[in-house]
Amino acid sequence: MRIARFNIAGYPVVAVDAGDGFIDYGMLLENRGYTPAVVGLDPERCIVRMLRNGLFEADFVRENIAFARHSGLDLHLNTEHLKPLLPFRPCKFLCLARNYRDHAKEGGYKAPDRPHYFVKTDNCAAGPDEPIILHKGLGRVDHEGELGVVISKRASRVEAGEAHRFIFGYTIVNDVTARELQKQLAAEGLPWTAAKSLDTFAPTGPWVETGLTPEEIGEKHIRVTVNGEIKQEALISDMIFGIRQLVETISATITLNPGDIIATGTPAGVSPVAHRRRGYGGNRRYWKTCKSGEIEEICHSDKANNCNLVISVSYQIDLNSEKKIQRIIISVLILALSADFSYAPWGRTANDYIRLPFWRDARICSDGNGGCWAVGMDGDVSPGIGTVGLVHFNRDGDTTWGLNVVQPLPNWGSWWPRPVQADNGDVILAMIVSKDLDAIEDSDAVFIQRINLNRERLWGENGIELDSAGMLSQNGVGVYKGPIDDTYLVYWDSDRNENRTGGPRLQLIDGEGEFLWGERGIGLGSGWTNSQIVMTSDHCVIVAQNVTPTPAIEIIKLNSAGEQLWDSRFDTLGDNMSRLGIIDVESDREGGVLLVNEYERRVTIDDTLRRYRGVNALRISRDGDSLWTRNLYERDSR
């Protein structure tokens, strides 16, 4: 299966190859009821967001394509006249140095005895039809055609035999290199970043090819042609260190995230894209030509530096492959509306659904090893107030064990559990516990607990008590990955805290359960509801909430030390707004956020009260300023 993005009238479109050409996959998902919050709002990150949400699982895509054909929905794209875009902007490139023996030899180096890799930053990424910027005085700039391995899910300490489970697909990366500058940096003992990470120095695409194992892709060739002459060509399996070993080695010390790309190294034969020319700034334009069974990128320079660069990987994909990646939907008895879902290689049909022993409010998260944690309320104490149960499933969908998270004590109740995967695959749980069911209004507390795969409670029998602040709001508790490694952000919304004023509170803990800041929780004010929390690319915390009774959105940014950087309030529709709700918040790569909110406004027209409901998108800078607001749709709610 091929996945790409194209520019249609200035609008980026996510497309998949349906076997008879590319179709508008984003429009297909919209027809099936998926919202922008699920698909993603950042155009350059939406494929990664869709990947995280399981929207590219092979069977799921085929099911949607079959739906389109059955319903007569023609979403085919005429790609011959469309501009291909960068498939997605990765968070990072992990690039291999000297991974082909002949390339090491031509550079005057010995073949390495272990993988040597370096990082290219995300500003390098460019689409196949974008210019490569060559600055004045840069000197010789070389092409390096490489196979890119796209990571599908968070990978840490992955064994080589399991590497294929963490690979989404493959693409083409041109590791453009300022060669003279690289040699100068190496002679001074400095890293290559300045020679490798210039803007546009990693053209990528034009698509991602999925469905191939590392062994299957190893049978293909990579080839670079300049002016019709083959400059670089090698069998991919000729790499010194294969794809599986690269995933194992890199993930042993660097956590790989969905959408990261491993550029696997270039064969011998690198040659200049441009030589040094006095006063010459120069651009290179990339475009795509499609041939049967091939991916090609062609770089065409101006007449002064006449060169054509072709990077191709020749292979074909059989969309009727027997390889299947199936989806599991975890349901809670018959209360399907309260069920969450994840994807794994098991459980596809309704008969394969796994019935959890929870009566409501089930949540799941990955265990980092192909299995998952499921947590929910089992209702043993009384309707509405139960005990929190935890179940672990392995990668084959088998239940390995289950337990009550909070040890049953006389007159205790616990509910509203929220899980997050710890960095090593343990589960961190946040929940509300009532220590006296006869006096709920004065006995609520927030507890957190860490449990490992061996069923061990790491923070005591009942965990750590964070706040015993009277009555806590239902649904007002959550736990998130923190702004730095192995830290966890706990959120709760108390109707009455220790000052009897109420409002949301935040606390950061480390992997040992120690408070880093907010021992009793940092208060964020009162009158807040429907909290959304996201970590930004600059290692800060964004908290976005509705503000009542006046409908508005308030956003607070905290740094990793818990210090408030700014507090901004936004009323996107003015005085006629009667209701406002946050749908989703996502961080952008500059440290700001994209926010989607639903709203209702009331307008009197000809003595008749009209109610209009709609959805807005709002982008806020890293400094808390509104960059723009867009209305996505609005309709009369009558």
Side-chain angles (χ1 to χ4, degrees):
M1 178 174 65
R2 292 173 178 172
I3 300 167
R5 288 194 314 137
F6 295 98
N7 186 329
I8 299 181
Y11 184 78
V13 170
V14 176
V16 299
D17 190 345
D20 55 354
F22 280 99
I23 63 170
D24 186 339
Y25 192 54
M27 182 64 71
L28 175 55
L29 292 177
E30 184 177 328
N31 275 272
R32 303 220 68 181
Y34 288 86
T35 66
V38 176
V39 175
L41 300 173
D42 187 341
E44 291 189 341
R45 305 282 189 185
C46 62
I47 283 183
V48 176
R49 179 64 184 269
M50 294 165 73
L51 173 61
R52 289 178 182 269
N53 288 334
L55 302 184
F56 290 124
E57 297 290 353
D59 281 357
F60 181 74
V61 173
R62 292 191 185 106
E63 176 187 299
N64 282 292
I65 292 174
F67 166 83
R69 289 170 175 165
H70 180 74
S71 59
L73 194 62
D74 186 6
L75 299 173
H76 282 84
L77 303 173
N78 183 5
T79 57
E80 182 179 355
H81 303 292
L82 294 180
K83 175 183 176 180
L85 302 175
L86 173 69
F88 62 90
R89 185 169 295 277
C91 293
K92 55 184 177 287
F93 293 90
L94 282 304
C95 304
L96 271 294
R98 302 188 289 274
N99 199 25
Y100 288 84
R101 296 184 187 278
D102 290 343
H103 176 56
K105 184 177 180 181
E106 73 176 350
Y109 300 98
K110 294 181 179 179
D113 56 1
R114 58 184 177 83
H116 293 172
Y117 54 89
F118 56 91
V119 175
K120 293 186 79 152
T121 50
D122 70 342
N123 62 289
C124 304
D129 197 22
E130 295 180 36
I132 295 178
I133 302 170
L134 302 181
H135 298 280
K136 292 181 180 180
L138 196 57
R140 170 173 165 169
V141 176
D142 286 356
H143 60 75
E144 294 187 8
E146 306 187 11
L147 176 75
V149 179
V150 183
I151 300 301
S152 63
K153 56 185 176 180
R154 185 180 180 276
S156 178
R157 297 183 290 276
V158 175
E159 295 181 359
E162 299 294 311
H164 61 283
R165 299 181 181 274
F166 297 85
I167 295 174
F168 175 46
Y170 305 89
T171 190
I172 301 298
V173 177
N174 184 5
D175 179 16
V176 181
T177 303
R179 188 67 67 197
E180 295 176 23
L181 180 56
Q182 181 194 25
K183 291 181 178 179
Q184 178 184 341
L185 293 169
E188 297 175 5
L190 298 174
W192 297 346
T193 306
K196 291 281 191 175
S197 291
L198 284 75
D199 290 349
T200 70
F201 265 38
T204 303
W207 53 66
V208 177
E209 193 92 41
T210 68
L212 291 172
T213 66
E215 290 71 29
E216 290 170 333
I217 195 69
E219 298 173 358
K220 315 305 175 185
H221 284 77
I222 188 164
R223 180 184 304 115
V224 177
T225 304
V226 177
N227 286 333
E229 178 184 357
I230 297 177
K231 290 290 188 179
Q232 293 181 267
E233 184 173 18
L235 194 65
I236 291 175
S237 61
D238 287 343
M239 292 188 296
I240 300 173
F241 307 103
I243 293 171
R244 291 183 181 274
Q245 185 175 355
L246 296 180
V247 173
E248 179 182 61
T249 301
I250 295 174
S251 69
T253 54
I254 298 178
T255 298
L256 299 172
N257 292 306
D260 285 350
I261 293 179
I262 299 175
T264 56
T266 193
V270 296
S271 61
V273 171
H275 293 278
R276 180 172 57 231
R277 296 176 61 87
R278 178 171 302 190
Y280 176 68
N283 287 332
R284 300 292 175 276
R285 290 202 60 82
Y286 280 72
W287 69 87
K288 177 192 69 169
T289 60
C290 299
K291 296 182 179 179
S292 176
E294 292 188 345
I295 293 178
E296 289 191 350
E297 289 180 36
I298 296 180
C299 162
H300 181 69
S301 73
D302 59 282
K303 294 180 180 179
N305 280 330
N306 185 25
C307 93
N308 290 308
L309 170 64
V310 179
I311 305 172
S312 68
V313 173
S314 300
Y315 54 87
Q316 289 184 330
I317 295 299
D318 179 9
L319 289 181
N320 296 318
S321 170
E322 292 300 320
K323 180 181 177 182
K324 296 181 179 179
I325 303 176
Q326 296 184 322
R327 179 175 66 168
I328 170 181
I329 297 180
I330 296 181
S331 62
V332 184
L333 297 179
I334 61 173
L335 300 177
L337 290 179
S338 65
D340 286 352
F341 64 89
S342 181
Y343 294 86
W346 42 271
R348 177 61 176 169
T349 67
N351 293 330
D352 294 329
Y353 287 176
I354 292 178
R355 303 294 177 179
L356 298 178
F358 308 137
W359 74 282
R360 66 176 303 176
D361 207 51
R363 296 290 189 274
I364 68 170
C365 70
S366 170
D367 67 358
N369 296 295
C372 68
W373 302 95
V375 64
M377 297 164 56
D378 60 24
D380 286 343
V381 176
S382 65
I385 301 176
T387 58
V388 171
L390 177 69
V391 180
H392 179 259
F393 296 92
N394 63 21
R395 68 170 65 250
D396 297 318
D398 299 322
T399 304
T400 59
W401 49 262
L403 54 75
N404 285 326
V405 176
V406 177
Q407 291 296 290
L409 295 173
N411 221 29
W412 274 44
S414 53
W415 63 95
W416 309 118
R418 299 293 185 267
V420 69
Q421 176 196 333
D423 285 357
N424 68 345
D426 295 349
V427 64
I428 308 286
L429 297 174
M431 70 208 85
I432 297 174
V433 175
S434 176
K435 295 183 287 186
D436 186 355
L437 294 181
D438 295 329
I440 290 179
E441 293 188 358
D442 296 314
S443 67
D444 281 359
V446 178
F447 276 70
I448 55 171
Q449 176 62 280
R450 181 169 186 157
I451 299 173
N452 64 21
L453 289 168
N454 295 324
R455 200 174 177 176
E456 297 169 329
R457 296 178 173 87
L458 304 183
W459 295 342
E461 285 299 302
N462 290 318
I464 300 170
E465 183 177 334
L466 302 185
D467 184 20
S468 54
M471 185 173 181
L472 296 165
S473 297
Q474 294 181 345
N475 271 330
V477 65
V479 60
Y480 307 85
K481 286 288 187 70
I484 53 181
D485 290 343
D486 201 27
T487 62
Y488 307 94
L489 190 71
V490 185
Y491 160 89
W492 67 93
D493 188 4
S494 60
D495 287 342
R496 294 200 305 272
N497 59 25
E498 64 267 24
N499 298 318
R500 315 302 277 184
T501 58
R505 308 185 72 76
L506 286 177
Q507 183 178 82
L508 189 71
I509 61 172
D510 64 16
E512 303 297 325
E514 299 292 334
F515 304 118
L516 298 180
W517 46 258
E519 184 172 352
R520 303 299 294 177
I522 293 178
L524 300 179
S526 59
W528 286 36
T529 61
N530 191 25
S531 304
Q532 300 277 351
I533 296 176
V534 66
M535 305 302 145
T536 65
S537 58
D538 55 351
H539 305 291
C540 293
V541 180
I542 290 285
V543 184
Q545 303 206 39
N546 300 333
V547 181
T548 58
T550 302
I553 292 172
E554 187 162 1
I555 301 177
I556 292 178
K557 186 172 184 177
L558 308 172
N559 63 19
S560 59
E563 300 166 334
Q564 183 171 308
L565 300 179
W566 48 258
D567 181 349
S568 300
R569 182 173 293 206
F570 303 94
D571 180 351
T572 58
L573 286 175
D575 297 335
N576 294 323
M577 190 185 306
S578 62
R579 184 173 61 85
L580 188 64
I582 299 174
I583 297 175
D584 194 29
V585 180
E586 290 290 332
S587 171
D588 64 23
R589 62 179 180 270
E590 283 86 24
V593 291
L594 292 167
L595 181 146
V596 175
N597 68 277
E598 61 178 347
Y599 65 84
E600 179 180 273
R601 64 186 184 95
R602 300 178 181 181
V603 180
T604 301
I605 301 177
D606 298 330
D607 298 326
T608 301
L609 179 64
R610 297 283 186 89
R611 290 184 174 88
Y612 294 89
R613 293 181 178 176
V615 172
N616 279 346
L618 175 68
R619 184 169 186 179
I620 300 101
S621 73
R622 65 183 298 161
D623 298 318
D625 301 319
S626 175
L627 299 178
W628 49 256
T629 300
R630 301 285 188 272
N631 181 257
L632 302 183
Y633 79 87
E634 182 179 87
R635 64 179 177 84
D636 192 330
S637 62
R638 292 179 300 171

